[in-house]
């Protein structure tokens, strides 16, 4: 058991999740009634006691039986075949890091879990955990509001958007990238502003100490102040532009959703056409006319009948898989020359009509060639 990672995973659980595991697994926590622990009773001090109890060997064995599931929209994520980059991308797209690490460890993929966990400082994982939980909470609240809206009887414009899931994910990922870029710009602006403030403070201090250089220092202060104000205006313009782009992408998502819904409805109303490709037939040359062509009426063969009178003059470019000689209609000597010309590897001889009929009833394909 990777104690360090499990400690971190349990530390990320909410009071409701922590108590749910303890109650469902009937874990005894000193000072609390078994199976009836109230989440509101957990605080920053006693939650360490809950985490410690979950890490005890007998309790942890119970916990390992829990089927930890990845939350939507990544329930289909195959953690066994996904590499580290794909798992990290899934976290950026909304999967809780604590849930992903728990799933990896419980599925005996500890090496992959440790590699991913070690790829970033712990505090950065915690920031992503908080961000994803906040996003999921907001999504849950929006879904609850929509459900309440539907229950109130107000018609909804939402349709079956399952066909648009792929397009929506790509566009939403683009919005996330724009949002992340905006955050980076905001952080850079904040750092630059702090640097300029430090420079401004240093300049003011120097101004107070060097009164003889008052004019020059005043000019520097004015320049720095103007630069700071210009950067503030630039940042605000960038922020406005990013917000506009995000709104445009939302409109694109909605348009694609409407188009896909219309296409889906159209597809459902169209008739389904099934195309059947006939199986190829085996070409057979029958030398001698049995005067009962109905026996050759089978799906697997196509028979060309050659009368005895036409044997010496018969010419063809068609390739045959087999030649059947009806020796009760034509002698072997009469067909020897034709057989040499055609050079078909499989020749069958039938001395009676009954043998020919039995062969067809059994299926000529079953005979060794």
């Amino acid at each position: 058991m990777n104690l360090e990672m499990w400690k971190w995973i349990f530390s990320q659980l909410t009071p409701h999740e922590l108590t749910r595991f303890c109650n469902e697994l009937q874990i005894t926590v000193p000072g609390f009634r078994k199976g009836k622990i109230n989440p509101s009773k957990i605080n920053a001090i006693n939650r360490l006691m809950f985490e410690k109890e979950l890490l005890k060997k007998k309790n942890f064995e119970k916990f390992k039986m829990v089927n930890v599931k990845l939350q939507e929209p990544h329930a289909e994520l195959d953690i066994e075949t996904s590499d580290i980059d794909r798992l990290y991308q899934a976290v950026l797209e909304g999967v809780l890091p604590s849930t992903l690490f728990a799933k990896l460890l419980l599925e005996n993929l500890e090496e992959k879990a440790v590699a991913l966990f070690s790829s970033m400082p712990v505090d950065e994982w915690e920031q992503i955990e908080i961000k994803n939980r906040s996003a999921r909470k907001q999504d849950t609240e929006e879904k609850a509001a929509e459900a309440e809206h539907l229950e109130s009887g107000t018609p909804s414009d939402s349709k079956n958007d399952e066909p648009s899931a792929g397009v929506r994910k790509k566009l939403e990922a683009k919005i996330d990238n724009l949002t992340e870029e905006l955050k980076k710009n905001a952080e850079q602006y904040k750092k630059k502003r702090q640097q300029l403030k430090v420079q401004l403070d240093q300049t003011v201090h120097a101004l107070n100490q060097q009164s003889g250089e008052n004019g020059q220092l005043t000019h520097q202060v004015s320049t720095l102040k103007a630069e700071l104000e210009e950067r503030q205006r630039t940042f605000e313009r960038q922020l406005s532009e990013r917000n506009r782009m995000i709104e445009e992408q939302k409109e694109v998502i909605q348009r694609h959703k409407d188009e896909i819904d219309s296409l889906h409805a159209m597809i459902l109303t169209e008739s389904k056409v099934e195309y059947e490709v006939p199986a190829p037939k085996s070409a057979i040359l029958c030398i001698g006319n049995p005067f009962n062509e109905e026996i050759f009426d089978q799906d697997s063969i196509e028979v060309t009948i050659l009368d005895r009178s036409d044997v010496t003059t018969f010419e063809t470019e068609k390739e045959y898989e087999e030649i059947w000689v009806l020796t009760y209609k034509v002698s072997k000597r009469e067909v020897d020359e034709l057989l040499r010309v055609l050079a078909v590897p499989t020749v069958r001889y039938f001395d009676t009509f009954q043998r020919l009929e039995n062969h067809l009833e059994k299926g000529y394909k079953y005979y060794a060639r």
Side-chain angles (χ1 to χ4, degrees), residues 172-206:
E172 287 179 347
K174 188 173 182 180
I175 291 177
D176 290 340
N177 290 336
L178 290 173
T179 303
E180 190 65 24
E181 183 180 351
L182 180 60
K183 289 181 179 179
K184 290 180 180 178
N185 289 339
E187 291 175 357
Q188 292 175 357
Y189 163 74
K190 184 178 179 181
K191 291 180 180 179
K192 186 62 178 178
R193 183 175 181 178
Q194 290 175 345
Q195 291 174 0
L196 291 174
K197 186 177 182 302
V198 171
Q199 294 177 14
L200 183 60
D201 292 339
Q202 291 174 348
T203 302
V204 172
H205 180 69

Side-chain angles (χ1 to χ4, degrees), residues 205-223:
H205 180 69
L207 180 62
N208 293 332
Q209 290 183 338
Q210 301 176 10
S211 59
E213 301 176 2
N214 182 64
Q216 182 181 359
L217 293 176
T218 301
H219 175 71
Q220 292 179 0
V221 171
S222 299
T223 302

Side-chain angles (χ1 to χ4, degrees), residues 21-23 25-29 34-35 37 53-54 59 62:
F21 283 130
C22 290
N23 289 334
L25 301 176
Q26 293 293 302
I27 294 176
T28 302
V29 181
K34 185 176 182 179
I37 304 173
E53 289 296 326
L54 280 171
N59 294 331
K62 296 179 182 178

